[in-house]
């Protein structure tokens, strides 16, 4: 597991002028509208439904009777009883870009994606199933401008708008468990309802660490209604398999709903003796005690076990000769590990499937979640929501992690590393939601109080055994002697935040929020003899203040403009679990200017969105490759993102997205050089996705589809000397829906055949800047067959 981690950032174009122009124009429109007219056309936010937090759920607007009742109640004296319970709301139809869902990682106001003044993308369970996304990393690769790589040191690593790893908060049902590069694991999508992407500095919602945004994994919640069951099975040409069973609905007990999922998978790698095995189960109960009170509880267990692939070593072209490849990497490189000059480098085609890890390697994690809470309607316009949670994890890395070609010996130098985590987290999040009428304008205010306590123990290697092996057919051997030392971190966190939406007219709303946070850190570190190291123990406190202010304006029905200014904060060096007493102990500050537009039209058959942003992150410390920590005063990122989807005729669906970013370091000077102007690692300028499908409405309906992905050039370190070349890959699939008459007990049955990476493209998917002598390669062509049933 790497000792430090770095940062990145993405963008293009200065949207601030467009933002100011849009704001000025909308201000003029609002100012010119008579106050009486503005009050007449206002449309209140839908009342808060007493239901457990179901992030990514469809928006459920109240009917007109419920709205009138709420307005009347708001104007009555407090002694008047509450209006009758409104009739059950109906879910709105899904839009092509899924913008009518509520993403609670983006706002606690109950806003849909279209109503949020930020770029938010929600990928639903249905999309995951149709696109064949097996893990959260594959989900991320289909999102706008997001890249990922299952680097075994940091499984499920992400890059978004130029930020990577611990500068992006990874959330589980809205809860942060720690820095992404320390806590994330390869996660199966089987029990996920949605994956939410909130882009740009977003500390208002999830606190420290969200300088680049947040990614939220949402488990499938219970639903009210008849019980529905589902089962899925798949197998591929690498002998991988997945199996999942889920069930949910209402029980015989009035008001009691449930959801249960269990899944297992074994995903084999293309490199010799590599695989990832996962197992998980989750369940939740919702119990509506009365019209105004609901309680709920959830439990989840996950584990993953892998024999890891750590990449292919960079090799001199002169050594590889006829086995040198083109189109994967380029550049001239001096080994960071052994200091030898490799000259022009390549990936040797004899190493495509080679595993340099030791025979007794292992990556293991077990995780347990307990969550529970209540939602209480105190008054017609006042709702209290609270949840308590507990989380525990045990993680272990036991590997050979370094594979560095030595141009003097023509061997691959290796080095072992061991680390384990024992993590415990408890906390509470409480929201008070108040719907009010302020001077004739509808307003919703959410006040949130959260607190947590985290205990983290990290035994790690005190020595790093190493050896050298041949490039081809290496003698992998065993780990060898292991001596350990220990590090600890205890973190107290308290935060008070406010988020508000004021509707000035039916089409124009101001949305803003403020978060005041306290973080207390206690760190200790001992050597292999149990003696405290110099400078330990130590304590440090931070009190970041972050927020967001923006607007949304639906200029015409379906066409919404938005802009925002938002801020974020994260640790300047390393991450909060691993800070040392001699490292910079400050917080960075990040801010973004963003503006954009969303358009839903053609009777909900077409939708597109556009955003432009400018992000600046100050007081940055980054790794130049290897373990050296350098000063990089600023990261600047400018970018644009465009997404569109359309169904021109009923059988045909077309979709695509593209993101362009220009991410640069500034004031990045150190003894012996400067990286000012360089691009952060794993940040491509261009990321694009596109897809099409056509459905034949035959007695047994058949659908054919194709998806393509292009990722531009990237660098594996801040030095920008080795380029991971751009690549384009494509998948094709075909599925047939079997009529219910064939299986009377099954309502829906689908068989799918899929070819991943149909052209068998060899490419570099990720580079770890702390292990710059090796590159992770993407998977070759594979064939997959799957079956899914619902009843």
């Amino acid at each position: 597991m790497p000792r430090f981690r770095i940062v990145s950032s993405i963008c293009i174009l200065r949207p601030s002028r467009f933002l100011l122009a849009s704001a000025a124009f909308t201000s003029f429109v609002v100012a010119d509208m008579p106050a009486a007219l503005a009050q007449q056309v206002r449309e209140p936010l839908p009342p808060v439904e007493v239901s457990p937090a179901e992030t990514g759920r469809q928006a459920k607007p109240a009917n007109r009777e419920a709205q009138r009742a709420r307005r009347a109640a708001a104007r009555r004296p407090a002694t008047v009883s509450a209006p009758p319970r409104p009739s059950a709301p109906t879910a709105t139809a899904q839009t092509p870009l899924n913008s009518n869902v509520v993403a609670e990682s983006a706002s606690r106001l109950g806003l849909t994606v279209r109503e949020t003044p930020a770029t938010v993308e929600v990928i639903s369970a249905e999309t995951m199933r149709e696109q064949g996304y097996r893990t959260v990393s594959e989900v991320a690769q289909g999102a706008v401008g997001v890249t990922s790589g299952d680097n075994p040191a940091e499984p499920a690593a992400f890059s978004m708008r130029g930020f990577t790893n611990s500068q992006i908060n990874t959330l589980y049902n809205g809860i942060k468990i720690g820095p992404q590069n320390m806590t994330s694991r390869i996660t199966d999508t089987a029990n996920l309802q949605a994956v939410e992407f909130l882009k740009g500095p977003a500390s208002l919602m999830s606190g420290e660490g969200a300088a680049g945004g947040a990614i939220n994994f949402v488990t499938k919640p219970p639903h009210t209604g008849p019980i529905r069951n589902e089962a899925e099975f798949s197998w591929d040409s690498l002998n991988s398999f997945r199996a999942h069973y889920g069930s949910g609905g209402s029980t015989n007990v009035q008001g009691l709903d449930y959801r249960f999922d269990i899944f297992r998978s074994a995903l084999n790698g293309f490199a010799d003796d590599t695989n990832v095995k996962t197992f998980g189960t989750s369940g939740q109960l919702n119990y509506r005690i009365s019209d105004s009170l609901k309680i709920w509880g959830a439990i989840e267990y996950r584990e993953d076990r892998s024999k890891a692939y750590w990449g292919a070593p960079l090799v001199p072209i002169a050594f590889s000769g006829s086995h040198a490849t083109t189109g994967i990497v380029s550049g001239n490189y001096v080994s960071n590990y052994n200091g030898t000059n490799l000259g022009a480098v390549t990936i040797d085609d004899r190493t495509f499937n080679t595993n340099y890890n030791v025979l007794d390697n292992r990556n293991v994690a077990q995780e347990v979640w307990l969550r529970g809470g209540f939602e209480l309607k105190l008054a017609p316009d006042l709702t209290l929501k609270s949840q308590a949670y507990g989380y525990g994890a045990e993680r272990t890395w036991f590997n050979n992690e370094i594979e560095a070609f030595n141009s003097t010996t023509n061997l691959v130098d290796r080095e072992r590393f061991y680390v384990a985590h024992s993590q415990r987290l408890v906390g509470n999040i409480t929201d008070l939601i108040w719907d009010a009428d302020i001077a004739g304008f509808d307003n919703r205010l959410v006040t949130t109080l959260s607190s947590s306590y985290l205990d983290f123990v990290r035994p790690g290697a005190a020595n790093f055994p190493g050896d050298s092996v041949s490039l081809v057919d290496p003698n992998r051997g065993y780990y060898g002697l292991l001596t350990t030392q220990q590090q600890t971190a205890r973190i107290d966190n308290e935060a008070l935040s406010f988020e508000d939406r004021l509707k000035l007219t039916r089409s124009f709303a101001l949305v803003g929020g403020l978060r005041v946070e306290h973080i207390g850190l206690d760190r200790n570190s001992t050597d292999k003899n149990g003696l405290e190291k110099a400078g330990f123990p130590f304590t440090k406190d931070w009190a970041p203040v972050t927020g967001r202010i923006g607007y949304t304006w639906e200029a015409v029905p379906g066409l919404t403009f938005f802009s925002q200014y938002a801020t974020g904060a994260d640790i300047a060096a390393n991450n909060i679990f691993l800070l040392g007493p001699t490292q910079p102990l400050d917080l960075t500050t990040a801010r973004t200017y963003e503006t954009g537009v969303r358009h839903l039209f053609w009777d909900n058959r077409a939708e597109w969105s556009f955003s432009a942003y400018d992000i600046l992150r100050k007081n940055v410390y980054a790794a130049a490759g290897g373990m050296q920590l350098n000063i990089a005063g600023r990261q600047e990122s400018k970018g644009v993102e465009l997404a569109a989807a359309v169904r021109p005729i009923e059988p045909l669906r077309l979709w695509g997205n593209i993101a362009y970013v220009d991410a640069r370091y500034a004031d990045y000077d150190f003894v012996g050089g400067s990286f000012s102007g360089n691009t952060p690692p794993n940040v491509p300028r261009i990321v694009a996705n596109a897809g099409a499908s056509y459905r034949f409405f035959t007695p047994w309906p058949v659908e054919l589809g194709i998806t393509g992905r292009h990722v531009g050039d990237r660098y594996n370190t801040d030095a920008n000397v080795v380029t991971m070349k751009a690549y384009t890959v494509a998948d094709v699939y075909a599925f047939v829906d079997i009529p219910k008459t064939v299986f009377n007990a099954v309502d829906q049955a689908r068989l799918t055949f899929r070819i991943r990476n149909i052209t068998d493209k060899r490419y570099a998917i990720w580079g770890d800047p702390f292990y710059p002598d090796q590159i992770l390669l993407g998977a070759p062509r594979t064939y997959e067959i799957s079956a899914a049933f619902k009843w």
Side-chain angles (χ1 to χ4, degrees):
M1 184 69 180
R3 296 79 165 166
F4 304 96
R5 209 39 64 195
I6 65 169
V7 102
S8 331
S9 75
I10 305 187
C11 274
I12 177 180
L13 226 252
R14 290 193 178 270
S16 49
R17 294 179 182 175
F18 183 79
L19 184 155
L20 294 174
S22 300
F25 177 67
T26 54
S27 299
F28 170 76
V29 172
V30 173
D32 191 55
M33 181 179 292
L37 178 60
Q39 293 182 32
Q40 290 173 8
V41 300
R42 61 191 174 83
E43 181 179 84
L45 284 164
V48 176
E49 296 295 325
V50 180
S51 59
E54 296 175 7
T55 314
R57 65 188 184 275
Q58 297 287 328
K60 296 184 177 180
N63 55 30
R64 294 182 182 274
E65 288 76 17
Q67 290 185 17
R68 282 197 289 265
R70 191 181 72 81
R71 286 191 180 194
R75 289 162 173 78
R76 289 195 197 103
T79 55
V80 178
S81 60
R85 180 184 175 187
S87 59
T90 57
T92 53
Q94 183 169 327
T95 68
L97 291 180
N98 205 26
S99 65
N100 67 334
V101 297
V102 174
E104 291 191 359
S105 63
S107 173
R108 309 187 82 85
L109 291 164
L111 305 179
T112 65
V113 170
R114 287 200 306 275
E115 296 169 325
T116 305
T119 298
V120 185
E121 184 175 3
V122 179
I123 296 181
S124 66
E126 183 65 20
T127 298
M128 295 181 218
R129 184 172 72 116
E130 289 192 354
Q131 298 300 319
Y133 297 149
R134 299 166 295 182
T135 67
V136 295
S137 296
E138 293 178 352
V139 175
Q141 290 167 16
V144 183
V146 183
T147 58
S148 68
D150 283 324
N151 171 16
E154 304 170 355
F158 304 107
S159 177
M160 186 166 70
R161 290 194 170 180
F163 292 84
T164 57
N165 301 336
S166 57
Q167 282 73 53
I168 300 170
N169 274 347
T170 300
L171 311 175
Y172 299 86
N173 295 296
I175 300 170
K176 176 187 172 185
I177 61 174
Q180 180 275 331
N181 62 321
M182 298 288 286
T183 61
S184 287
R185 304 295 300 181
I186 295 175
T187 303
D188 199 288
T189 60
N191 70 330
L192 294 184
Q193 174 76 5
V195 178
E196 302 171 354
F197 297 85
L198 172 60
K199 300 176 182 178
S203 290
L204 169 66
M205 297 306 303
S206 56
E208 180 272 328
I215 300 175
N216 186 33
F217 308 132
V218 186
T219 54
K220 292 179 179 178
H223 72 271
T224 300
I227 291 175
R228 296 199 298 263
N229 303 283
E230 56 188 284
E232 301 167 289
F233 310 91
S234 70
W235 175 88
D236 73 13
S237 54
L238 293 173
N239 279 327
S240 302
F241 80 88
R242 296 175 70 226
H244 164 240
Y245 168 75
S247 179
S250 298
T251 70
N252 292 330
V253 178
Q254 180 67 31
L256 182 64
D257 306 325
Y258 80 97
R259 176 71 198 191
F260 171 77
D261 289 275
I262 186 168
F263 58 90
R264 187 176 186 87
S265 70
L267 303 180
N268 292 324
F270 59 90
D272 299 332
D273 189 31
T274 57
N275 59 67
V276 179
K277 298 178 180 179
T278 67
F279 171 77
T281 183
S282 59
Q284 181 170 332
L285 292 174
N286 294 347
Y287 184 35
R288 182 181 290 276
I289 296 175
S290 68
D291 289 349
S292 59
L293 176 63
K294 175 180 282 188
I295 61 174
W296 62 275
I299 185 171
E300 181 173 3
Y301 172 80
R302 291 195 306 258
E303 68 177 44
D304 64 87
R305 301 173 181 273
S306 66
K307 298 178 75 65
Y309 166 68
W310 289 82
L314 297 171
V315 178
I317 292 177
F319 176 84
S320 292
S322 62
H323 294 283
T325 60
T326 59
I328 301 178
V329 297
S330 66
N332 293 276
Y333 181 63
V334 175
S335 171
N336 177 267
Y337 184 70
N338 56 46
T340 62
N341 189 346
L342 277 60
V345 292
T346 186
I347 299 296
D348 193 299
D349 64 15
R350 294 170 293 181
T351 68
F352 280 168
N353 302 320
T354 303
N355 181 4
Y356 293 92
N357 208 343
V358 292
L359 292 169
D360 54 346
N361 77 91
R362 61 183 182 273
N363 278 19
V364 181
Q366 295 94 29
E367 302 170 277
V368 176
W369 275 102
L370 292 172
R371 298 181 294 121
F374 68 87
E375 299 187 12
L376 174 64
K377 187 170 283 295
L378 300 170
D381 292 331
L382 194 63
T383 302
L384 181 67
K385 299 167 55 177
S386 183
Q387 73 163 315
Y389 58 86
Y391 170 78
E394 303 288 333
R395 312 181 190 95
T396 301
W397 288 258
F398 186 82
N399 298 275
N400 183 89
E401 298 193 0
I402 290 178
E403 305 155 7
F405 189 85
N406 189 315
S407 61
T408 300
T409 64
N410 289 336
L411 297 174
V412 176
D413 295 338
R414 304 191 305 172
E415 185 179 279
R416 323 280 197 264
F417 186 64
Y418 160 83
V419 70
H421 298 169
S422 181
Q423 181 179 350
R424 302 292 180 269
L425 172 70
V426 294
N428 177 270
I429 302 173
T430 298
D431 298 325
L432 183 64
I433 305 165
W434 180 38
D435 289 310
D437 187 295
I438 299 179
F441 300 109
D442 284 286
N443 188 78
R444 175 172 291 172
L445 171 67
V446 179
T447 302
T448 302
L449 181 63
S450 62
S451 62
S452 65
Y453 172 79
L454 186 149
D455 185 86
F456 185 79
V457 180
R458 183 180 182 264
N463 68 321
F464 308 98
D467 58 12
S468 298
V469 297
S470 61
L471 179 70
V472 181
D473 296 326
N475 179 6
R476 292 168 56 192
Y478 295 89
Y479 188 99
L481 178 67
L482 171 65
T483 58
T484 63
Q485 55 190 343
Q486 184 164 288
Q487 301 174 344
T488 64
R490 292 177 176 84
I491 302 171
D492 292 297
N493 186 287
E494 302 86 29
L496 176 65
S497 64
F498 305 90
E499 193 178 5
D500 190 87
R501 187 199 198 204
L502 178 65
K503 295 209 71 174
L504 298 178
T505 73
R506 182 167 51 191
S507 61
F508 186 87
L510 296 176
V511 182
L514 185 70
R515 180 187 181 101
V516 180
E517 189 170 8
H518 169 262
I519 306 167
L521 170 68
D522 292 284
R523 284 273 288 115
N524 202 358
S525 182
T526 58
D527 62 19
K528 63 181 180 180
N529 299 313
L531 301 176
E532 290 179 347
K533 293 183 178 180
F536 289 94
F538 73 88
T539 63
K540 177 67 178 178
D541 288 88
W542 300 272
V545 178
T546 54
R548 172 173 69 196
I549 183 67
Y551 71 85
T552 59
W553 174 42
E554 191 173 17
V556 296
L559 180 64
T560 302
F561 294 89
F562 71 91
S563 297
Q564 71 155 334
Y565 171 83
T567 61
D570 66 329
I571 298 297
N574 208 330
N575 67 52
I576 198 168
F577 283 3
L578 295 181
L579 277 176
T582 61
Q583 292 178 297
L585 299 179
D586 299 325
L587 293 177
T588 73
T589 57
R591 63 96 181 118
T592 184
Y593 295 104
E594 180 175 7
T595 192
V597 60
R598 303 181 181 98
H599 191 195
L600 176 65
F601 61 105
W602 201 3
D603 195 25
N604 286 6
R605 290 162 55 190
E607 186 172 19
W608 63 273
S609 66
F610 170 84
S611 62
Y613 56 91
D614 184 322
I615 302 175
L616 175 65
R617 182 170 179 251
K618 297 180 179 179
N619 189 30
V620 177
Y621 291 77
M627 303 302 158
Q628 180 183 358
L629 196 67
N630 287 326
I631 297 175
R634 302 195 314 276
Q635 283 181 266
E636 300 171 350
S637 180
K638 304 174 182 65
V640 293
E641 296 174 352
L642 175 66
V646 61
R647 187 187 289 271
I649 56 177
E650 184 60 26
L652 179 63
R653 289 186 302 165
L654 304 170
W655 62 272
N657 57 65
I658 186 169
Y660 177 88
V661 298
D662 182 14
R664 302 286 182 181
Y665 286 120
D667 300 333
Y668 192 164
D669 302 315
F670 54 93
V671 176
S674 172
F675 290 156
S676 294
N678 285 9
T679 300
N682 294 303
V683 176
R685 280 182 177 266
I686 297 260
V687 178
N689 293 279
S693 67
Y694 191 90
R695 186 172 180 86
F696 297 89
F697 292 100
T698 56
W700 287 32
V702 174
E703 184 165 315
L704 305 178
I706 183 171
T707 61
R709 177 172 176 80
H710 175 81
V711 177
D713 289 349
R714 295 135 294 140
Y715 301 104
N716 68 330
T717 70
D718 292 343
N720 288 186
V721 295
V722 174
T723 300
M724 297 182 290
K725 304 295 288 183
Y727 65 89
T728 301
V729 293
D731 299 347
V732 297
Y733 66 87
F735 63 72
V736 56
D737 290 329
I738 302 174
K740 181 175 171 48
T741 54
V742 177
F743 301 111
N744 290 329
V746 177
D747 295 323
Q748 298 177 38
R750 173 174 292 180
L751 295 179
T752 304
F753 179 71
R754 191 180 308 272
I755 305 176
R756 301 178 188 272
N757 189 3
I758 190 171
T759 62
D760 201 24
K761 172 71 174 177
R762 293 287 185 168
Y763 60 97
I765 192 170
W766 198 261
D768 186 337
F770 293 94
Y771 296 139
D773 284 82
Q774 61 222 50
I775 299 294
L776 271 75
L777 302 180
R781 178 170 53 227
T782 57
Y783 304 89
E784 179 185 87
I785 187 168
S786 63
F789 307 91
K790 293 185 177 182
W791 68 97

